[in-house]
Amino acid sequence: KTFELNNSRLFRLFAIRRLGAFATWRSLYDKYLRDAERRGALYAATSMRRVSAFLALVADQPDAARRDLATASWTPREGGYHVQHWWELEASAEIALYEGRAAAAMTELRDSFAGLERSLLLRVKILRVIAPWLGARLALAAASDPACRDEALHRAERLARRLEREGTEYADVWALLVR
């Protein structure tokens, strides 16, 4: 029953995030996180913190977003790349974009993006679309730094082509936005 509760709450938070209902997201996140901590549900608490770090950015609090990531205390098994790694990567990239640190983040997050590429998570369609969209946004923002402009623009174009190959309308729109 705990597994179902934790995951249904996580998926509800995902859906509300994609809808942009930030006030509802904040309210549910606070409620769900308190309950997960009360129950000692480390997986749920860590997952919710990583998924919801974006809420702090909505409130113009990037330091709070970083604290949420640092507070997440789930310890993964050795040798794997788990969905919590992805959520941490996504949150870290969003924070870097928000703070204008895209060029540094491309270097800092390179190993995490490589881990995602080697993982089985990219068998999930939405991750196969969101990950290159995130990487392309980082690359485009990093292109403002003359030191990495050419490499960043090449990466953004490569990721736009990858988005187009997914064959979904939202991926096609994101590919057009990258270009």
Side-chain angles (χ1 to χ4, degrees):
K1 185 171 180 171
T2 299
F3 175 82
E4 290 85 356
L5 176 66
N6 292 340
N7 285 300
S8 65
R9 287 178 171 179
L10 278 169
F11 280 94
R12 186 171 187 197
L13 291 175
F14 298 151
I16 290 169
R17 174 184 175 176
R18 298 292 174 214
L19 291 172
F22 299 122
T24 302
W25 182 10
R26 167 56 70 188
S27 174
L28 288 174
Y29 167 67
D30 291 340
K31 175 183 169 185
Y32 293 167
L33 182 61
R34 277 193 309 274
D35 182 60
E37 289 173 337
R38 180 190 59 75
R39 292 182 291 115
L42 203 53
Y43 162 82
T46 296
S47 298
M48 286 179 201
R49 275 197 172 91
R50 290 181 177 183
V51 166
S52 297
F54 190 81
L55 278 173
L57 299 180
V58 170
D60 192 27
Q61 299 173 343
D63 291 338
R66 268 193 301 285
R67 274 193 309 276
D68 270 352
L69 286 181
T71 303
S73 58
W74 171 78
T75 305
R77 286 185 280 195
E78 291 290 320
Y81 191 95
H82 305 274
V83 70
Q84 290 81 6
H85 292 115
W86 157 247
W87 292 327
E88 182 177 14
L89 168 60
E90 183 182 33
S92 296
E94 293 289 359
I95 293 166
L97 285 164
Y98 184 85
E99 294 179 324
R101 297 183 314 97
M106 282 183 54
T107 301
E108 293 165 7
L109 299 175
R110 183 171 285 134
D111 289 346
S112 191
F113 272 109
L116 176 63
E117 291 294 327
R118 290 187 307 270
S119 77
L120 297 178
L121 291 177
L122 293 181
R123 291 184 179 191
V124 178
K125 180 84 161 183
I126 190 73
L127 291 181
R128 277 198 323 271
V129 175
I130 292 174
W133 167 237
L134 181 64
R137 289 170 44 227
L138 270 176
L140 289 175
S144 67
D145 180 345
C148 63
R149 181 177 174 77
D150 291 341
E151 177 189 344
L153 290 175
H154 176 71
R155 178 173 173 72
E157 177 58 32
R158 192 175 73 246
L159 291 168
R161 286 192 305 270
R162 187 167 160 188
L163 284 165
E164 288 172 332
R165 286 193 303 270
E166 285 302 321
T168 62
E169 292 172 359
Y170 64 100
D172 290 343
V173 168
W174 287 348
L176 288 171
L177 288 171
V178 170
R179 294 196 167 109

